[in-house]
Amino acid sequence: MNLARWLGIATIALIGASPAMAKDWKTVAVAMEGSYEPWNFTDPSGKVVGFEVDILNDVCARAKITCTVIQTDWDGVIPGLNAGKYDMFMDGMSITPERQKRIDFSIPYAQSSTSLLALKNGPLSHMQNEGKTIDLSKDDDDTKDAIAKLRADLKGKNIGLQVSTIFATFADKYLKDVANVKEYKTTDEHDADLLAGRIDVTLAQTSYDLGTLAKPDSKDLQFVGPRFEGGAILGPGIAAGFRKEDKDLQEIYNKALQAALDDGSVKKYSLKWFKIDITPSGK
């Protein structure tokens, strides 16, 4: 064996024996849709602001990390993460078993039920189980009865929701055979169609709907019917998303987020943006 060939083999062996170098998380790129008010949205100056931006700024300061926000389409946020376009995302995403097959989540920083909005003078201004919260994790007779009544109320109606969301999954399971389900790229689009009377009702997070109802042009809208939470479809909470191999970044984020939950900072941001406390139970 000549010397050059031996050196090549030795070099390969040395590289193969070396442990993988951990990434130095001094800068982190964070994806957000930038059009999901008040979670994260673009203000008139072009800056992304909102509940999740405040949490991110807090967490990054505690962890001594420089974080930058990258805007991306909602339906591409998980593929973009796994393709390495950014390091993590915060985009009002609920933890579900299906999503956990593809990515990891942080500890939850919020919980929000699912609700329906309709026109005050529209065909769905009065629905059964008005204001009642249904826990889908129970799957008992009361839950089944609530779903049956929801299906009856929405039979033949036009439902608007955002594509690739838990609301789309909910509608696919419970409503698609009785109602007309229309998927939108953004929530702003389905809100506009609801106000114009092109759809009868929207399905979205209650926390998002509260922000919608606070807008002056939403004075003709109201909550209708029951609210839903829990179960495999709606999940246990809302959290940040990470690539499965980036356990170290997830750990850094979780440690700082837990501190922000414990000292009441996340609750403060919730009250600022939603006027209610949507932090996880017990925080």
Side-chain angles (χ1 to χ4, degrees):
M1 180 182 298
N2 63 45
L3 181 61
R5 179 173 173 79
W6 182 88
L7 285 172
I9 294 173
T11 302
I12 293 170
L14 182 62
I15 293 172
S18 300
M21 295 293 289
K23 185 168 181 179
D24 183 13
W25 296 109
K26 295 299 183 184
T27 61
V28 175
V30 185
M32 294 184 181
E33 184 182 3
S35 59
Y36 193 52
E37 189 175 356
W39 292 81
N40 62 80
F41 62 101
T42 308
D43 70 10
S45 73
K47 183 180 180 182
V48 179
V49 297
F51 173 60
E52 288 174 310
V53 178
D54 282 0
I55 295 175
L56 177 66
N57 290 338
D58 187 314
V59 167
C60 292
R62 292 174 194 258
K64 296 179 172 58
I65 292 174
T66 300
C67 294
T68 57
V69 173
I70 296 176
Q71 286 187 250
T72 190
D73 290 339
W74 161 261
D75 54 356
V77 69
I78 291 179
L81 175 69
N82 284 330
K85 293 181 178 179
Y86 30 83
D87 302 308
M88 57 174 283
F89 66 77
M90 294 177 69
D91 212 12
M93 185 175 286
S94 297
I95 304 166
T96 68
E98 279 302 308
R99 288 169 176 164
Q100 286 176 309
K101 293 176 183 178
R102 303 168 64 191
I103 62 171
D104 281 347
F105 284 95
S106 70
I107 58 174
Y109 48 76
Q111 291 175 320
S112 181
S113 58
T114 294
S115 56
L116 301 100
L117 287 186
L119 289 168
K120 292 178 180 178
N121 60 352
L124 292 175
S125 57
H126 298 286
M127 290 177 61
Q128 300 176 80
N129 286 320
E130 196 78 43
K132 185 176 181 180
T133 298
I134 309 300
D135 186 351
L136 295 179
S137 65
K138 294 181 178 179
D139 195 30
D140 53 16
D141 288 342
D142 285 345
T143 301
K144 292 174 182 176
D145 179 66
I147 293 294
K149 288 177 178 176
L150 180 71
R151 286 168 56 83
D153 284 340
L154 297 181
K155 185 176 181 180
K157 298 298 189 292
N158 299 305
I159 305 170
L161 48 83
Q162 190 175 23
V163 66
S164 301
T165 57
I166 55 174
F167 319 114
T169 307
F170 179 94
D172 188 63
K173 180 172 182 178
Y174 296 118
L175 302 170
K176 71 174 183 178
D177 60 331
V178 296
N180 305 309
V181 178
K182 184 175 181 180
E183 297 186 351
Y184 294 82
K185 193 172 185 65
T186 69
T187 50
D188 286 341
E189 291 173 347
H190 69 51
D191 289 350
D193 270 8
L194 179 60
L195 285 165
R198 289 186 285 268
I199 55 176
D200 300 303
V201 67
T202 59
L203 195 63
Q205 284 175 344
T206 303
S207 53
Y208 169 79
D209 284 341
L210 286 168
T212 298
L213 291 175
K215 297 176 182 178
D217 60 356
S218 297
K219 58 181 174 46
D220 294 327
L221 299 180
Q222 66 178 15
F223 283 115
V224 294
R227 299 179 185 184
F228 295 90
E229 64 183 15
I233 292 177
L234 301 184
I238 295 158
F242 299 85
R243 285 184 292 271
K244 286 186 173 293
E245 62 266 28
D246 291 337
K247 303 292 185 184
D248 49 351
L249 177 59
Q250 184 180 350
E251 183 177 346
I252 292 167
Y253 180 93
N254 278 343
K255 182 178 179 181
L257 174 58
Q258 189 63 63
L261 285 164
D262 289 342
D263 70 11
S265 294
V266 179
K267 179 180 178 179
K268 177 182 71 176
Y269 306 139
S270 175
L271 293 173
K272 170 185 173 182
W273 291 104
F274 299 104
K275 311 306 179 189
I276 60 170
D277 180 10
I278 65 166
T279 56
S281 300
K283 298 300 178 187

